[in-house]
Each structure stands twice: as C-alpha cells, then as structure tokens.
C-alpha cells in the first residue's frame, strides 16, 4: 500500500446506525426497531421527531435528506434503502 493513498473508510452499518438514531430519539432500545417497523403506526412518530432523526443521520452520514422523503418511507427498511441510495449518489 502506498503511504500517500488514503485509507478507505470502513463500511457503515447503515441499518444499525438508523436503529440507534431512531431509538435515541424515541427513547427506546435499538433491538425493538426492525426493518418492518412502521414508525407512524407503531410509535406515532411526528414530523418533529422525524426532523430530529433526519438531522442526526445527515450529520453522521454527510448526506442531505428531507423530512418529507423520510416520512414517505413506510418502514424503517424503506428509510434505510433511501439513505443507502443517497449515500451512493442516487436520488
């Protein structure tokens, strides 16, 4: 390895990061958040809570995502897919 080459960053456990962020905002434990979790139906999440989750994820991942986009995701798994696409540069 050439010492001037940047060392690639380790891959992010995107689902784990999203779980931890949601659990932090909702005051629960990450293990209760699964891919099929519907935050609106199961936790009554509102737009302010979603803004908090989105802001934390934007800072951590370095991507922009609107609350509206996150609110359109019906499940946590769909939100993770959306964030993965944003990280890959696709909208």
């Amino acid at each position: 390895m050439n010492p001037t080459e940047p060392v690639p960053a380790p891959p992010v456990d995107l689902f784990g990061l999203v779980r931890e962020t949601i659990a932090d905002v909702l005051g629960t434990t990450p293990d209760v958040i699964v891919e099929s979790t519907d935050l609106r139906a199961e936790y009554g999440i509102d737009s302010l809570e979603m803004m908090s989750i989105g802001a934390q994820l934007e800072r951590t991942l370095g991507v922009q995502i609107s609350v509206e986009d996150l609110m359109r995701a019906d499940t946590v798994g769909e939100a993770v897919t959306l964030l993965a696409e944003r990280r890959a540069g696709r909208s």
Side-chain angles (χ1 to χ4, degrees):
M1 174 179 255
N2 183 339
T4 60
E5 289 180 20
V7 177
V12 173
D13 173 12
L14 193 55
F15 179 64
L17 177 66
V18 171
R19 283 175 66 175
E20 289 176 19
T21 303
I22 291 169
D24 180 53
V25 169
L26 295 180
T28 189
T29 59
D31 61 316
V32 299
I33 307 295
V34 296
E35 286 188 34
S36 61
T37 299
D38 181 332
L39 295 175
R40 285 182 298 277
E42 296 174 43
Y43 291 93
I45 196 167
D46 61 29
S47 59
L48 291 177
E49 291 167 318
M50 192 61 80
M51 281 176 52
S52 180
I53 292 168
Q56 286 185 39
L57 291 170
E58 281 184 342
R59 280 192 304 273
T60 303
L61 298 171
V63 297
Q64 284 192 320
I65 184 155
S66 70
V67 174
E68 293 81 15
D69 285 346
L70 283 176
M71 292 296 281
R72 277 195 288 272
D74 290 327
T75 65
V76 171
E78 289 176 16
V80 170
T81 298
L82 177 64
L83 288 165
E85 289 172 353
R86 293 292 164 87
R87 289 189 76 217
R90 298 184 301 264
S91 322

